[in-house]
Amino acid sequence: MSSSNANVTALYSELLRLGDAAEYDKALKVVNKILHEDKEDKKALHCKAVCLIHLSEFEDAVKILEKQVSDANFEKAYCFYRLNRIQEAYDTLKAINNPSSKEKELLAQVLYRLENYGDCFDVYKDLIKNSEDDFEEERETNLAAVVTNLYSEKGKDFKNAPQLREHTYELCYNSACILISQGEYNLAIEKLKTAEELCKNQIEENDLTEEEVEGELAIIRVQLAYALQMLQKKDRALKLYNLVLKNKPSDVAVVAVASNNVVTINKDQNVFDSKKKIKIATAESLEPKLTTKQRQIIAINNCLLLLHTNQIDQCRRSIQAVINKYPSCGAEGALLLAALHCKEKKVQKAVDVLKEFAETLPDQSLLLSFTLVQLLLTQGHVSQACDTLRSIGDASYTLGVISALVTLYLSMEDKDAATNVLQSAIKWYRKNKSKSSALRILIQEAAKIELKNDHPQEAAKLLEELRKENPGDLKTIAQLIAAYSQFNPDKAKDVSKQLPPVSEITMNVDVDNLESTSWTMGAKYIKKGAKSEPPSGKQDSGDGLIQKKKKKRKKGKLPKNYDPNVDPDPERWLPRRERSTYKKKKDKRGTAIGKGTQGAVTGSEELSKTTLPPTAPSPGSSATPTSPNVTGPRQVKGGQKKKKKNRW
């Protein structure tokens, strides 16, 4: 053996020792020495790539693996995964013919990041079934996360969910997330509280610092706040969000979600705080940390905040960016654009946008069409709104839409159009859902409108159809009698024979109770019950009607010095100054004080005229102890003439 080969062998031995000791920086130096001896050594190049991966230098590792090492697909895929080149990682792993367990583990992680939860679920089930090692809990936790996302995607259609344990806080947390996706918020809150307690217990055993503890609890508290927010307990939710943000957790995804949710609680209030929060949630570095759904929601909330703060141009650019980047958000983008045009008072542009997107997004056309109808109705375009409702396909035959159409047509006094709507709906239900209860409701309503339109014969045909299905329906028989009585009285008499006798109808009717309860003609016509006593101040006249009790007149009071033998003064009702015995007083100047209208003077002499002092309060006001100097009204520049008042 040559000295060179002996040296390489010694270097490989040193490399193995350093690798076992996880001293990868020193191992990298040893590998470089080996490559100095032989630059084409594939094994040494592979070892160098592994050392670079452990030192998180993924770019350099990929360069070596792509150019010089051809059979290291796992390491190459892992580098792509850590560099967020997820699709390249997936393609690399799919090229492996017989993947090992570690390659399947990485494939499951890649599928999760690609949001391909169905295939990811299958891979984890296979791993859990065929693996026996110390990572069982981790796989089960990851499987629970996949199940949570599948519930969020498919809802009740997801039927292959496995039974998961809840002995760790991660599993308990994931179970709570499943309940949230099912809308069971109260149960989810209980699970999250349990997960928080389990987390605290596990953290105490590991002796972590307070910052690390808060970081672990942050994700649980944000989910708990979300559940409270969905239950409209927004004050409690806001406190939890702010608590998490105050502790500054290291997980930037948790910070982004909490910040976004605070913005949704603030809405158009506390705008300055919302601007700071949305800036945190929309940072570019967060994109690989969030799911597509989370990124979409945050982007839409950013547009809404810009709309609320009247940043019109920036809002328009942001909406267009959302539509281009997330095609599945086309409906939300259309609604935002329409709202923006309405804010600019360009209603016709909003209508055009909704019509355009309704044609290009058939799966979202129902939402856009209903929004368009609402917009048209607010503008008073009732006829166009009706045309839009009738153009939404089979959805136009739901009872809610039919009811809206009939109401709108009747508001325009177009009875024929309302009838046509009901008739076309009846034909559709007979063809598609002949046994539906909605068909009976539609026929009843159509018969009512035909009677209102003075078409009793058409109404009778419809009601006869209902009577065949349910011969004992008294309401249908009564309507049928009303219809026949307008054009065929004899038939009405025949149908009326199907009604039960009056004695049978009134058998269970308590007449006394009906007469003693509130009546349309007023309280005084209510008949008194047999055991009830008339209220105070009222009495029964004997004919069954309650009458008011007559009040006795009180005896008038007489003066103390009243003498029945002396006639009363005939001028006792006149004012004292108008009586013959009244003597006029004279003032000090000898003139009599006259009585007349305010401001009048007696004789040819005028009363002296004075003005109120400027410091006097206005009439009806008084100076309070705390403000002794009450000033008069402010004067206009240039002087103001003071009105003179007569003083008696």
Side-chain angles (χ1 to χ4, degrees):
M1 180 183 293
S2 65
S3 61
S4 176
N5 291 335
N7 187 30
V8 169
T9 303
L11 288 172
Y12 269 116
S13 300
E14 179 68 11
L15 180 62
L16 180 62
R17 185 185 67 77
L18 292 172
D20 292 338
E23 296 180 4
Y24 298 106
D25 51 347
K26 294 181 180 179
L28 184 60
K29 294 178 181 178
V30 174
V31 170
N32 288 331
K33 289 180 181 179
I34 297 173
L35 290 172
H36 182 72
E37 298 290 336
D38 183 4
K39 294 181 180 180
E40 301 298 327
D41 191 339
K42 300 293 183 183
K43 188 175 182 180
L45 289 169
H46 195 173
C47 291
K48 183 175 181 179
V50 171
C51 290
L52 291 170
I53 289 171
H54 282 288
L55 294 171
S56 299
E57 296 180 13
F58 303 108
E59 289 282 1
D60 295 336
V62 166
K63 290 177 182 178
I64 294 172
L65 293 169
E66 285 185 325
K67 291 180 179 179
Q68 296 171 299
V69 182
S70 58
D71 57 347
N73 285 332
F74 173 76
E75 288 80 3
K76 193 187 300 182
Y78 182 77
C79 289
F80 287 140
Y81 174 77
R82 293 299 302 271
L83 292 169
N84 292 316
R85 294 158 63 176
I86 308 300
Q87 188 60 47
E88 294 178 67
Y90 176 74
D91 295 337
T92 303
L93 289 169
K94 292 299 288 183
I96 301 173
N97 293 326
N98 295 312
S100 61
S101 296
K102 66 177 184 179
E103 289 164 345
K104 288 181 180 179
E105 293 272 7
L106 182 57
L107 178 62
Q109 292 288 337
V110 168
L111 289 169
Y112 187 86
R113 289 286 301 277
L114 289 172
E115 300 177 25
N116 188 351
Y117 301 116
D119 292 345
C120 184
F121 176 74
D122 295 335
V123 173
Y124 271 123
K125 279 179 64 178
D126 178 61
L127 281 169
I128 291 172
K129 184 178 179 181
N130 299 313
S131 299
E132 292 183 4
D133 52 26
D134 297 333
F135 298 100
E136 184 179 355
E137 281 189 4
E138 285 79 356
R139 293 191 189 98
E140 195 172 349
T141 301
N142 291 344
L143 179 64
V146 175
V147 170
T148 303
N149 285 286
L150 285 171
Y151 267 114
S152 180
E153 271 187 358
K154 299 181 179 181
K156 295 180 180 179
D157 295 333
F158 181 56
K159 299 177 181 179
N160 298 323
Q163 292 293 327
L164 300 171
R165 296 183 296 170
E166 298 178 8
H167 63 290
T168 65
Y169 77 90
E170 293 99 338
L171 286 168
C172 193
Y173 168 81
N174 285 335
S175 297
C177 293
I178 292 172
L179 290 171
I180 286 175
S181 65
Q182 295 172 339
E184 300 287 346
Y185 299 113
N186 287 311
L187 293 175
I189 288 171
E190 297 301 321
K191 290 274 186 190
L192 288 167
K193 289 179 179 177
T194 304
E196 189 173 359
E197 292 300 320
L198 288 171
C199 182
K200 288 178 181 178
N201 294 335
Q202 286 181 302
I203 286 171
E204 287 176 0
E205 294 174 2
N206 296 329
D207 296 329
L208 298 179
T209 63
E210 186 176 349
E211 291 181 358
E212 292 172 332
V213 170
E214 292 299 328
E216 291 293 325
L217 292 174
I219 188 170
I220 299 174
R221 288 171 177 169
V222 168
Q223 200 69 269
L224 177 59
Y226 174 77
L228 291 168
Q229 185 177 353
M230 297 305 292
L231 291 172
Q232 301 303 314
K233 298 177 181 179
K234 296 183 179 178
D235 292 338
R236 291 174 60 189
L238 188 61
K239 287 180 181 178
L240 274 175
Y241 288 136
N242 288 328
L243 175 63
V244 171
L245 293 173
K246 184 180 178 181
N247 292 326
K248 297 180 180 180
S250 58
D251 192 341
V252 290
V254 173
V255 175
V257 171
S259 300
N260 172 76
N261 291 357
V262 170
V263 173
T264 62
I265 293 176
N266 289 340
K267 292 185 178 179
D268 56 349
Q269 305 295 322
N270 202 358
V271 175
F272 182 72
D273 179 62
S274 294
K275 283 184 177 180
K276 291 196 298 183
K277 295 290 192 297
I278 205 67
K279 187 176 181 181
I280 295 170
T282 54
E284 290 184 5
S285 59
L286 285 168
E287 188 160 341
K289 302 290 184 180
L290 300 171
T291 65
T292 302
K293 187 175 180 181
Q294 288 173 329
R295 294 197 298 271
Q296 288 175 357
I297 292 171
I298 291 172
I300 290 169
N301 286 337
N302 181 38
C303 295
L304 286 170
L305 182 61
L306 293 171
L307 184 66
H308 281 308
T309 53
N310 294 320
Q311 295 174 268
I312 304 299
D313 294 334
Q314 191 175 349
C315 180
R316 185 178 288 106
R317 290 193 297 270
S318 298
I319 293 170
Q320 199 59 51
V322 169
I323 294 172
N324 295 336
K325 190 173 183 179
Y326 306 109
S328 59
C329 289
E332 290 83 354
L335 294 174
L336 285 167
L337 277 177
L340 187 63
H341 288 315
C342 288
K343 198 173 188 68
E344 295 177 304
K345 299 187 178 179
K346 299 176 182 178
V347 180
Q348 189 55 46
K349 280 192 174 183
V351 171
D352 295 339
V353 165
L354 291 172
K355 286 181 178 178
E356 179 187 349
F357 277 86
E359 293 174 359
T360 57
L361 299 170
D363 55 330
Q364 299 287 336
S365 60
L366 199 60
L367 171 64
L368 298 175
S369 296
F370 282 134
T371 308
L372 177 59
V373 168
Q374 183 182 3
L375 186 58
L376 290 170
L377 289 175
T378 56
Q379 298 300 311
H381 304 313
V382 182
S383 180
Q384 294 181 35
C386 292
D387 294 340
T388 303
L389 284 174
R390 299 189 74 169
S391 66
I392 57 178
D394 290 345
S396 63
Y397 296 110
T398 57
L399 290 181
V401 175
I402 293 168
S403 175
L405 281 169
V406 171
T407 304
L408 291 172
Y409 279 128
L410 291 178
S411 68
M412 295 188 294
E413 299 183 357
D414 192 350
K415 297 179 181 178
D416 293 336
T419 304
N420 291 334
V421 168
L422 288 169
Q423 287 176 350
S424 61
I426 290 169
K427 290 179 182 177
W428 187 86
Y429 273 92
R430 282 173 178 165
K431 182 180 178 181
N432 297 283
K433 299 180 181 180
S434 57
K435 296 183 180 180
S436 174
S437 59
L439 179 60
R440 183 176 183 82
I441 295 171
L442 290 171
I443 293 174
Q444 287 176 342
E445 295 301 319
K448 287 180 184 179
I449 290 182
E450 293 288 6
L451 285 173
K452 288 181 181 179
N453 292 346
D454 297 327
H455 298 151
Q457 295 177 345
E458 298 295 330
K461 289 179 184 178
L462 294 169
L463 292 167
E464 282 289 0
E465 183 180 345
L466 290 178
R467 188 170 66 143
K468 287 179 183 178
E469 294 180 2
N470 191 2
D473 188 0
L474 298 181
K475 184 177 180 181
T476 302
I477 294 171
Q479 287 179 323
L480 194 56
I481 293 168
Y484 277 130
S485 62
Q486 296 184 35
F487 68 96
N488 192 345
D490 295 333
K491 185 68 175 176
K493 288 182 181 179
D494 292 339
V495 175
S496 65
K497 293 177 182 178
Q498 298 181 16
L499 292 171
V502 178
S503 58
E504 183 179 335
I505 296 174
T506 59
M507 185 182 299
N508 298 322
V509 177
D510 188 351
V511 180
D512 293 333
N513 185 39
L514 286 174
E515 291 182 348
S516 62
T517 53
S518 298
W519 204 26
T520 57
M521 293 183 68
K524 67 179 182 178
Y525 292 99
I526 298 175
K527 187 174 181 179
K528 184 184 72 170
K531 295 182 180 179
S532 61
E533 297 181 0
S536 60
K538 298 182 180 180
Q539 60 183 359
D540 194 347
S541 62
D543 57 357
L545 300 178
I546 297 174
Q547 295 181 349
K548 289 184 179 180
K549 187 176 180 180
K550 293 181 180 179
K551 293 182 180 180
K552 294 182 180 180
R553 289 189 178 180
K554 292 183 180 180
K555 215 169 185 179
K557 292 183 179 180
L558 297 173
K560 293 181 180 180
N561 300 327
Y562 172 70
D563 187 357
N565 298 322
V566 179
D567 293 334
D569 184 5
E571 296 181 348
R572 65 187 182 278
W573 304 117
L574 295 175
R576 185 172 295 179
R577 64 177 177 272
E578 294 181 10
R579 297 179 189 177
S580 58
T581 57
Y582 180 70
K583 293 181 180 180
K584 293 182 180 180
K585 294 182 179 180
K586 293 183 180 180
D587 63 2
K588 295 180 181 180
R589 292 168 293 184
T591 57
I593 299 175
K595 296 292 181 180
T597 57
Q598 182 72 17
V601 295
T602 58
S604 59
E605 296 183 3
E606 292 185 1
L607 295 174
S608 60
K609 299 178 180 179
T610 60
T611 58
L612 291 173
T615 55
S618 59
S621 66
S622 60
T624 60
T626 56
S627 56
N629 298 323
V630 182
T631 59
R634 295 176 61 186
Q635 294 183 348
V636 181
K637 290 182 179 180
Q640 181 180 3
K641 293 184 179 179
K642 299 176 183 178
K643 293 183 179 179
K644 296 183 179 180
K645 296 185 180 179
N646 292 327
R647 184 173 66 184
W648 300 103

